[in-house]
């Protein structure tokens, strides 16, 4: 590591240590966590270059040669299906002069040719040809860098770490949750991205708490039974579980929220009820697509998952939503939503895209405004975080986990 890099790392660690020491228990994060460049670099090192990140759904690259790009904080990776049927994650950086050789977000290719000097790579990342480099040039020594990749219930995860965190607990929980919803056989119906002018943590924190749902998301709140006295929520959830069991379906609720120092990736899976008569997350609470997986009836419930620092999933019996949060700069990030339906569902026949996506589009439109207002507010030199509400218990858990990860 060169002198400049060491200085940056020292600066990031110093800023991080100072901010952690001043953080009050039970309160929101201090403003430095959203505004300090050193802390942002520490976030990238300890969260996004170490943890597993959901890249999307395997159906996006169903056939040999199909690929899609994933970008995370200046790094670009290609998720490509090889001729052997396996998915691989390849760094989108030519081994000659570093040019990005793939510029289309999705496509199908027989091989990849760098537009700069025409070095040619196979779908497995091997270097097939290097113009005018001589007959003795060692092609085998100059293949593309591979990233770690795992597929679980159709969900594609990648890791930029040299030695990735153990993935078995994540795979087990996904199998016992998304497996019941048939996500391995699902397909992508729609994807939409929101560029948000805010630090990535403000976007994630907003996602994990529903203290803001009633005032900010009336469309969501009239369907999902979350803002109720705890005894009523427990009663509604118990009835939901009875309906699920009556269908012969078991969906796990499990927390394996471990720090990375344990060597394992963190995952949380929880379930909650919809109000009586509501079947799915839609404008009127009615179905939006054919039932998925093992479901033969609606159970009036939702399953929610949180993997690592920035990957989330929502499962209804008739569709699912993947949420990806991707940092771009200190004060900007991208929120990507991916809607899933049953693999054989036909748009215009079995589902209408606008109806399928309505709830989470209107919710995300509002979230973008809220998050950007908060970013502008925390820039104030007078800002001091207030105490967290009991309804923000998952935000408190995220903050506690996050502080330990970057310490």
């Amino acid at each position: 590591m060169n002198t400049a890099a060491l200085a940056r790392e020292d600066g990031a660690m110093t800023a991080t240590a100072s901010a952690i020491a001043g953080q009050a228990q039970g309160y929101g994060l201090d403003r430095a966590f959203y505004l300090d460049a050193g802390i942002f670099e520490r976030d990238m090192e300890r969260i996004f270059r170490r943890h597993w990140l959901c890249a999307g759904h395997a159906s996006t690259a169903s056939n040999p040669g199909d690929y899609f790009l994933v970008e995370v904080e200046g790094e670009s990776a290609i998720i490509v299906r090889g001729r052997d049927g396996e998915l691989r994650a390849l760094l989108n950086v030519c081994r000659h002069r570093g040019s990005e050789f793939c510029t289309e977000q999705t496509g199908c290719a027989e091989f990849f040719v760098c537009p700069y000097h025409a070095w040619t790579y196979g779908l497995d990342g091997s270097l097939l040809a290097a113009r005018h480099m001589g007959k003795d040039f060692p092609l085998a020594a100059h293949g593309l860098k591979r990233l770690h990749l795992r597929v679980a219930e159709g969900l594609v995860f990648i890791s930029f770490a040299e030695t990735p965190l153990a993935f078995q607990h994540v795979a087990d929980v996904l199998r016992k949750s998304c497996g019941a919803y048939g996500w391995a056989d699902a397909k992508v119906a729609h994807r939409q991205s929101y560029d948000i002018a805010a630090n990535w943590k403000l976007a994630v924190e907003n996602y994990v708490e529903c203290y803001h749902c009633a005032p900010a998301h009336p469309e969501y709140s009239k369907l999902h039974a979350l803002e109720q006295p705890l005894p009523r929520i427990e009663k509604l959830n118990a009835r939901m579980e009875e309906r699920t069991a009556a269908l012969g379906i078991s969906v796990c609720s499990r927390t394996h929220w471990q720090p990375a120092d344990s060597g394992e990736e963190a995952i949380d899976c929880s379930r909650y009820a919809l109000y009586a008569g509501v079947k799915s997350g839609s404008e009127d609470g009615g179905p939006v697509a054919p039932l998925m997986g093992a479901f033969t009836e609606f159970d009036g419930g939702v399953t929610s998952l949180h993997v690592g620092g920035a990957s989330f999933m929502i499962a209804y019996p008739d569709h699912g939503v993947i949420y990806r949060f991707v940092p771009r700069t200190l004060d900007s990030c991208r929120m990507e939503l991916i809607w899933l339906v049953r693999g054989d569902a036909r748009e215009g026949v079995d589902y209408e895209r606008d109806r399928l996506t309505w709830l989470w589009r209107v919710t995300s439109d509002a979230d973008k405004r809220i998050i950007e207002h908060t970013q502008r507010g925390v820039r104030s030199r007078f800002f001091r975080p207030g105490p967290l509400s009991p309804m923000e218990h998952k935000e408190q858990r995220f903050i506690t986990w996050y502080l330990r990860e970057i310490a």
Side-chain angles (χ1 to χ4, degrees), residues 63-67 78 80-83 90 92 101-104 107-115 118-130 144:
N63 302 308
D66 288 351
Y67 69 85
I78 305 168
V80 59
R81 178 98 45 193
R83 291 191 176 88
L90 309 173
N92 188 16
F101 56 86
C102 185
T103 57
E104 298 295 327
C108 184
E110 293 187 18
F111 43 77
F112 297 106
V113 180
C114 180
W119 281 30
T120 303
Y121 300 94
L123 299 179
D124 62 354
S126 60
L127 181 61
L128 303 178
L144 298 172

Side-chain angles (χ1 to χ4, degrees), residues 138-184:
L139 296 176
H142 292 84
L144 298 172
K145 177 177 176 57
R146 288 190 189 181
L147 304 175
H148 299 282
L149 180 146
R150 300 285 187 275
V151 180
E153 300 306 320
L155 296 166
V156 180
F157 292 86
I158 62 172
S159 173
F160 289 93
E162 288 299 320
T163 302
L165 297 172
F167 194 75
Q168 189 57 52
H169 281 290
V170 173
D172 287 345
V173 173
L174 292 176
R175 176 172 53 82
K176 295 173 182 177
S177 55
C178 296
Y181 291 89
W183 277 26

Side-chain angles (χ1 to χ4, degrees), residues 69-77 100 105 324 326 328 334:
L69 293 188
V70 178
E71 297 180 353
V72 179
E73 198 257 326
E75 300 289 358
S76 176
E100 289 186 342
Q105 289 297 310
R324 301 178 61 244
V326 182
R328 304 188 74 185
R334 176 167 290 169

Side-chain angles (χ1 to χ4, degrees), residues 267-337:
I267 184 167
D268 174 72
C269 179
S270 60
R271 306 196 71 223
Y272 53 93
L274 300 167
Y275 283 115
V278 177
K279 295 183 175 181
S280 187
S282 64
E283 188 167 6
D284 61 2
V288 294
L291 288 163
M292 300 173 70
F295 284 86
T296 56
E297 299 281 350
F298 288 89
D299 68 344
V302 186
T303 298
S304 175
L305 297 109
H306 180 182
V307 180
S311 302
F312 301 84
M313 300 92 203
I314 306 160
Y316 299 95
D318 62 345
H319 73 288
V321 186
I322 302 169
Y323 261 85
R324 301 178 61 244
F325 292 93
V326 182
R328 304 188 74 185
T329 66
L330 171 62
D331 54 6
S332 70
C333 64
R334 176 167 290 169
M335 178 173 69
E336 183 182 27
L337 282 70

